Amino acid sequence: MASRLSRIWPTLSRVRLSAALGSRCVSQTPKSSASNAAVASDLQPVSPAAQDSHGHAEVSPFEKNPDFHGFHHHDSFVDEWNMRLAFFFGISVAIVIGGTFIHYLPDHGMRHWARREAERLIKQRESQGLPLMTENYYDPSTIVLPSSGEE
Amino acid sequence: MLKVLIPTIMLFPTIWLTSPKWLWTTTTAHSLLIASISLTWLKWTSETGWTSSNMYLATDPLSTPLLVLTCWLLPLMILASQNHINPEPISRQRLYITLLASLQTFLIMAFGATEIIMFYIMFEATLIPTLIIITRWGNQTERLNAGTYFLFYTLAGSLPLLVALLLLQQSTGTLSMLVLQYSQPLQLNSWGHMFWWAGCLIAFLVKMPLYGVHLWLPKAHVEAPVAGSMVLAAVLLKLGGYGMMRMMVMLDPLSKELAYPFIILALWGIIMTGSICLRQTDLKSLIAYSSVSHMGLVAGGILIQTPWGFSGAIILMIAHGLVSSALFCLANTAYERTHSRTMILARGLQVIFPLTAVWWFIANLANLALPPLPNLMGELMIITTLFNWSPWTILLTGLGTLITAGYSLYMFLMSQRGPTPNHIMGLQPFHTREHLLMTLHLIPVILLVTKPELMWGWCY
């Protein structure tokens, strides 16, 4: 079913869309600097080799090398090894090993410890019926205040 | 610090001495190794303050996420540029990668600097490779205008900064961040001091960019080649945010009143640039204005000077850096195939490039700040702290969030959904390289969901 659809879809789309798009494929916006800038202009004469790689106008690199990975156009050996090294150093080393290193970093500032300690103390005090926190941080009997008569 | 800086400097011999066949392979592998080593910076050995390696270069929880982002971005830039730079003569290819590596070196020294003058020099030094990349390798004639805007906006902002720094050196005797964080608050009570305050911050506000002085950004981002756009959006804008956060410690108490107009400008900028995004026809221009919008939120968060504001700013800077760079890479894949940035030209792509549609989807969801991604967490922290400062800001930030969701969705629907036009049918399939590039952008964003304390800075 899908293969049948894929065979007739190009004709279908061409019939349906080309009628609508036929006259509209040419840009009809007034020439302004913004729209001019949005389209690449030929600044220098491009060599045929550059044209090939840039525009892929004539030959797609996938024709010559079906396993083209996007790294090197003409040499499939370099292309393949570039892909392998990029994946190895990018994912296996940087993300996996680096990620493991980051995961096992020590608890900076004891923040995770502080959260666990707080939860432990809350559970402990609730089970003992004590208030979660006493109002006075210091014992008031140890505080010596000057009497109001002195200076 | 040196274990990353020396390999980065050794990239230059690597670039110039490798055989042409293996140039891109070796530079990619070398820069990925540097990125892996840079992850060791995330182990902060002191409980507070700086993890010093020496008197001149040090890292602390504010600079570390930005440093890791910088080091991570170089291999991504090399991967992204490989296709369009490959046809050029070999010495020009080497020169291109040299410019990227020199940017990396300057940025590492900028984020790691402990002397504010060194930070200033590196801040200015990053302009030169970026200018060369934009004006030499940009694709349209407008690139010259873009380079001019980029250079002179930043220079005009940073000349007052130089004067302000020299005045600061005169009055405090030092410009070392290690010392200034403990100095007495400055007596700031005259008109001259207000100008000094403005001089300290204008350069960074232009770089961020703040809404009124943002005109350089759409031009520079659009005209730059993909690596230039990536580094501009991901890291160079954050230089502004980082500079502001460093300078803020010294600028109290003037900042309480003087920050007012800039906060309002930043918030208004979110709405205005977001609205401009909804009307864009040029894909890269849309992403560029989206950057201005997000950075407006960051600027607001920093100028508020609360712990949540700072933390939110850092988180949003890192998350935006990765996601914005991802969007520019996706826009470049469309550009390399259609040679146009017009959005309606490359539409209905989902049918032909289904896996790439997944990357477009995730990148756009991240851009519109979908929970639990760090984009949302940063935005929420900034919005909350702004609300605490003044409840009226919720109108601007809420509307800004809505418009952000609007244009992100617009970008996705415009490029992926809808009927696929005929001229799109023959486009070249996606390369493994491009899929890897997107993976390396988006996996860190997703992984950061699991350990956000890497990005909370020193204010948590």
Side-chain angles (χ1 to χ4, degrees):
Chain A
M1 163 74 174
S3 60
R4 247 192 295 144
L5 201 61
S6 63
R7 261 183 280 134
I8 59 172
W9 172 244
T11 11
L12 257 185
S13 67
R14 237 174 281 131
V15 166
R16 190 168 54 82
L17 291 173
S18 62
L21 288 177
S23 60
R24 286 202 261 136
C25 282
V26 178
S27 160
Q28 304 201 327
T29 56
K31 288 285 178 195
S32 67
S33 64
S35 58
N36 268 343
V39 176
S41 48
D42 254 342
L43 296 172
Q44 307 118 3
V46 281
S47 63
Q51 184 107 57
D52 253 9
S53 321
H54 266 302
H56 310 288
E58 281 92 43
V59 176
S60 157
F62 288 95
E63 304 259 348
K64 275 202 207 134
N65 176 15
D67 289 327
F68 179 58
H69 291 297
F71 291 96
H72 198 281
H73 278 276
H74 303 297
D75 191 339
S76 62
F77 181 75
V78 174
D79 184 56
E80 177 135 7
W81 272 96
N82 196 336
M83 183 271 296
R84 287 174 179 168
L85 287 179
F87 268 84
F88 175 71
F89 285 108
I91 301 200
S92 310
V93 173
I95 294 184
V96 174
I97 298 179
T100 315
F101 170 78
I102 293 174
H103 176 74
Y104 285 106
L105 283 174
D107 182 13
H108 181 72
M110 295 177 73
R111 292 168 191 164
H112 294 292
W113 175 86
R115 176 62 62 113
R116 277 180 280 127
E117 178 70 7
E119 286 166 0
R120 183 189 75 84
L121 283 176
I122 288 173
K123 228 169 39 174
Q124 179 190 334
R125 284 178 189 164
E126 276 175 352
S127 67
Q128 290 174 346
L130 294 168
L132 289 178
M133 198 175 282
T134 53
E135 209 175 79
N136 295 317
Y137 189 75
Y138 297 103
D139 180 9
S141 61
T142 61
I143 299 177
V144 178
L145 294 169
S147 68
S148 51
E150 294 168 21
E151 51 120 38
Chain B
M1 172 65 70
L2 278 180
K3 65 180 175 289
V4 176
L5 199 53
I6 301 265
T8 311
I9 294 175
M10 293 313 287
L11 255 179
F12 296 109
T14 306
I15 295 166
W16 288 94
L17 297 176
T18 322
S19 76
K21 213 163 59 150
W22 295 103
L23 172 65
W24 294 90
T25 314
T26 45
T27 46
T28 310
H30 188 146
S31 47
L32 279 167
L33 266 175
I34 295 174
S36 312
I37 297 173
S38 76
L39 291 173
T40 57
W41 274 326
L42 289 164
K43 186 166 188 286
W44 299 309
T45 51
S46 72
E47 289 295 313
T48 58
W50 303 81
T51 308
S52 280
S53 75
N54 55 46
M55 284 191 298
Y56 311 104
L57 293 172
T59 64
D60 84 331
L62 166 57
S63 54
T64 309
L66 292 165
L67 278 164
V68 174
L69 179 64
T70 309
C71 294
W72 185 240
L73 212 77
L74 179 62
L76 269 49
M77 287 194 279
I78 295 176
L79 276 173
S81 323
Q82 194 160 347
N83 198 27
H84 75 92
I85 296 291
N86 235 329
E88 298 203 10
I90 189 67
S91 53
R92 248 179 252 160
Q93 294 185 33
R94 294 191 205 267
L95 182 61
Y96 190 80
I97 312 179
T98 307
L99 286 168
L100 297 181
S102 63
L103 252 181
Q104 169 96 331
T105 320
F106 293 143
L107 283 166
I108 293 178
M109 289 202 277
F111 286 124
T114 53
E115 290 273 339
I116 305 185
I117 277 288
M118 167 128 134
F119 172 70
Y120 175 79
I121 295 174
M122 292 304 143
F123 178 85
E124 298 297 303
T126 56
L127 290 179
I128 298 172
T130 319
L131 180 71
I132 300 176
I133 291 175
I134 295 176
T135 51
R136 170 63 185 80
W137 275 278
N139 278 318
Q140 279 78 39
T141 54
E142 283 77 14
R143 70 190 191 279
L144 303 171
N145 199 16
T148 312
Y149 264 72
F150 167 68
L151 186 70
F152 285 104
Y153 261 72
T154 314
L155 283 179
S158 57
L159 196 57
L161 176 64
L162 181 61
V163 175
L165 288 178
L166 292 174
L167 279 173
L168 186 61
Q169 161 84 20
Q170 183 86 12
S171 65
T172 60
T174 178
L175 276 180
S176 170
M177 296 177 200
L178 305 169
V179 174
L180 279 173
Q181 59 186 348
Y182 299 118
S183 64
Q184 298 294 327
L186 299 163
Q187 299 293 326
L188 301 170
N189 39 28
S190 73
W191 277 95
H193 289 133
M194 289 194 200
F195 279 107
W196 174 82
W197 183 94
C200 282
L201 286 186
I202 296 270
F204 305 121
L205 289 171
V206 171
K207 194 80 179 178
M208 284 224 66
L210 187 66
Y211 174 57
V213 288
H214 69 287
L215 284 179
W216 65 269
L217 187 140
K219 290 188 203 291
H221 275 65
V222 165
E223 301 304 329
V226 62
S229 296
M230 285 167 73
V231 75
L232 268 170
V235 187
L236 291 177
L237 300 189
K238 284 55 181 177
L239 267 178
Y242 174 77
M244 269 169 70
M245 283 202 252
R246 287 291 184 216
M247 298 298 287
M248 276 296 184
V249 295
M250 295 167 294
L251 298 177
D252 261 335
L254 271 182
S255 307
K256 286 198 184 58
E257 285 90 32
L258 288 180
Y260 213 119
F262 297 110
I263 299 176
I264 301 302
L265 255 182
L267 291 177
W268 186 238
I270 304 174
I271 310 276
M272 293 306 292
T273 49
S275 312
I276 295 173
C277 283
L278 286 169
R279 296 286 298 162
Q280 282 300 317
T281 53
D282 180 342
L283 183 56
K284 275 180 89 165
S285 193
L286 196 157
I287 305 171
Y289 276 107
S290 156
S291 285
V292 181
S293 181
H294 287 280
M295 285 298 111
L297 204 52
V298 172
I302 298 174
L303 287 165
I304 292 287
Q305 299 173 86
T306 60
W308 270 40
F310 273 27
S311 290
I314 306 172
I315 298 174
L316 190 52
M317 283 202 287
I318 303 296
H320 170 264
L322 286 166
V323 170
S324 191
S325 176
L327 284 170
F328 274 115
C329 289
L330 284 169
N332 183 57
T333 59
Y335 179 78
E336 280 181 3
R337 284 166 176 76
T338 60
H339 288 288
S340 166
R341 298 190 306 265
T342 316
M343 270 171 53
I344 54 172
L345 207 60
R347 65 186 190 277
L349 296 175
Q350 183 168 2
V351 179
I352 322 173
F353 303 134
L355 180 56
T356 313
V358 175
W359 307 136
W360 273 102
F361 191 49
I362 299 178
N364 277 307
L365 286 180
N367 201 26
L368 61 82
L370 186 81
L373 296 173
N375 304 68
L376 178 78
M377 298 309 150
E379 285 193 12
L380 270 184
M381 289 176 87
I382 298 177
I383 292 175
T384 313
T385 191
L386 279 169
F387 182 74
N388 188 29
W389 175 73
S390 160
W392 293 102
T393 56
I394 196 78
L395 292 171
L396 294 168
T397 50
L399 188 59
T401 312
L402 193 67
I403 298 179
T404 305
Y407 67 69
S408 298
L409 214 51
Y410 169 64
M411 191 181 357
F412 176 66
L413 294 175
M414 202 54 174
S415 58
Q416 303 304 304
R417 296 287 167 89
T420 311
N422 270 343
H423 64 266
I424 296 285
M425 297 290 191
L427 288 183
Q428 204 186 82
F430 258 70
H431 310 150
T432 316
R433 175 187 60 88
E434 290 163 334
H435 287 305
L436 175 66
L437 185 61
M438 295 315 302
T439 317
L440 291 178
H441 273 107
L442 296 174
I443 286 190
V445 178
I446 297 172
L447 286 177
L448 277 171
V449 176
T450 62
K451 202 172 177 104
E453 56 252 34
L454 296 172
M455 297 183 291
W456 278 337
W458 78 110
C459 277
Y460 170 58

